[in-house]
Amino acid sequence: KGRVFPGSRTWSGAHRELAWLLPSLTTTGAMSLVSPYQVQGKWTHSSGGEIEVTVDNTGKSVVITHPTVGKQTMDVAKFCQGEGLDYFGFKGKLEGNKITWNNGVVWTKTG
């Protein structure tokens, strides 16, 4: 049978399989894993231009259209790195509607 959490119903196999898609909460209530679906959408680059992030039909790849880099397809496991993001070696942190990258660039979500 499924795992039972205090005050909840038993989780079915389908719930367990889908749970990885959702951001998880640690026991302290802090966000942990970044889901590609949190990053999906349109963003503006702090230096100008629009970025679009989509998740492919399999859910295993993200397609990123960037104003200077062009269109890139990446494995979700490479792009979503635990609590952060990795875009060709640049480390990003998602906070609300912004991704702040370790090179000083900020992407702001627009849609």
Side-chain angles (χ1 to χ4, degrees), residues 69-91:
V69 181
K71 191 174 187 177
Q72 303 288 325
T73 300
M74 299 180 65
D75 288 341
V76 166
K78 290 185 180 184
F79 183 62
C80 297
Q81 295 280 308
E83 294 182 7
L85 299 166
D86 187 316
Y87 185 54
F88 297 106
F90 295 105
K91 305 298 181 188

Side-chain angles (χ1 to χ4, degrees), residues 11 19 25 32 46 55 57 66 70 80 90 92 100 109:
W11 275 43
L25 294 174
S32 58
S46 56
V55 181
N57 292 338
H66 188 281
C80 297
F90 295 105
T100 304
K109 193 155 196 181

Side-chain angles (χ1 to χ4, degrees), residues 1-5 8-16 19 22:
K1 309 263 177 184
R3 186 171 173 190
V4 178
F5 295 93
S8 70
R9 290 181 242 151
T10 301
W11 275 43
S12 70
H15 285 113
R16 282 193 304 276
L22 305 172

